[in-house]
Amino acid sequence: RSLSPTPPKFQAHTHHCCYSTEGSMFAKPSKTELEELYELGWEASDIPKDPKGELVSHVLRKGYQAGALVGLVAAPLFLRFGRGVPFGTPLLLESAHWALNAAGAFTLVSSGMLAYKWSGIDMPGFVDRAYRLRHNSGQRRTDQFSVAGMLVGGAGGLMLPGHGPTTGPLYRVAGCATLGCALGVLAHVGLSLVEQHGNGIANQPAKE
């Protein structure tokens, strides 16, 4: 079958699934579903192997990152000025604790929102979403920066002394990695703004 070399240009389907539902909820596109995707103009090389899994992974990451950001911004202010936690290691570890909890809560919320919409997305809809996410350079760099931040934060957590009965090594690493995740996202946002500003200056017409 001759197919268009360009990705299909259609909005993600959101009606109830009319395709095969054999297997688990994370089942890959079946032969019948692949044929339907080819009919819609998809190239075989453009179809993600596990579109449902990629969408779920994206939603979980975004929920975690959003919660980490809330924890990074709100926790230190509340703990320092609301509870009087002293600056230094105590404030850092308490903030890490709150950020970790916030990240977990936001991940649950985002998962629940996806579960609510799940039955209304058919296979072309999953494929379309996964394809767009895969080719979104901003999303990819956000994830790369957040992972780098988590690694740096987790390593820093290993070097911090314990503070309180619930701050064992794993706890410190997880909490500080969450703060690092948020800092990584902020670093990406800041770099993007700098790049946009630089591009804007470069694109300005030269003065005579």
Side-chain angles (χ1 to χ4, degrees):
R1 182 185 288 113
S2 177
L3 299 175
S4 170
T6 58
K9 297 181 179 179
F10 62 90
Q11 296 296 322
H13 292 207
T14 55
H15 57 269
H16 285 282
C17 182
C18 57
Y19 297 88
S20 169
T21 56
E22 296 179 356
S24 68
M25 65 184 299
F26 298 108
K28 300 177 182 179
S30 66
K31 183 177 180 181
T32 301
E33 290 167 338
L34 288 174
E35 291 177 352
E36 295 287 348
L37 290 166
Y38 296 151
E39 293 288 343
L40 289 170
W42 284 93
E43 293 279 359
S45 59
D46 289 330
I47 300 175
K49 294 182 179 180
D50 188 11
K52 295 181 180 181
E54 290 191 23
L55 180 59
V56 170
S57 177
H58 168 77
V59 170
L60 294 177
R61 290 196 304 271
K62 295 304 115 176
Y64 183 88
Q65 291 168 4
L69 282 169
V70 171
L72 174 66
V73 174
L77 294 175
F78 173 75
L79 291 169
R80 179 69 186 96
F81 299 106
R83 293 194 171 182
V85 177
F87 284 111
T89 301
L91 181 61
L92 176 60
L93 291 178
E94 287 292 334
S95 298
H97 166 79
W98 282 61
L100 183 60
N101 289 342
F106 272 68
T107 302
L108 289 176
V109 171
S110 63
S111 300
M113 294 175 63
L114 177 61
Y116 176 76
K117 298 179 180 180
W118 189 272
S119 63
I121 308 175
D122 60 12
M123 185 55 74
F126 283 112
V127 171
D128 183 56
R129 286 166 169 80
Y131 177 88
R132 294 174 189 276
L133 290 171
R134 179 180 293 183
H135 292 82
N136 188 320
S137 59
Q139 292 285 0
R140 293 201 310 272
R141 195 169 74 166
T142 299
D143 293 338
Q144 292 167 355
F145 273 58
S146 68
V147 171
M150 290 179 71
L151 293 175
V152 174
L158 282 175
M159 296 182 288
L160 288 175
H163 177 75
T166 61
T167 54
L170 292 179
Y171 179 89
R172 294 199 305 274
V173 169
C176 292
T178 303
L179 291 179
C181 170
L183 290 172
V185 173
L186 289 179
H188 159 71
V189 172
L191 181 60
S192 297
L193 292 175
V194 171
E195 291 174 345
Q196 291 176 6
H197 180 68
N199 292 335
I201 294 177
N203 292 332
Q204 288 181 355
K207 295 183 180 179
E208 297 182 357

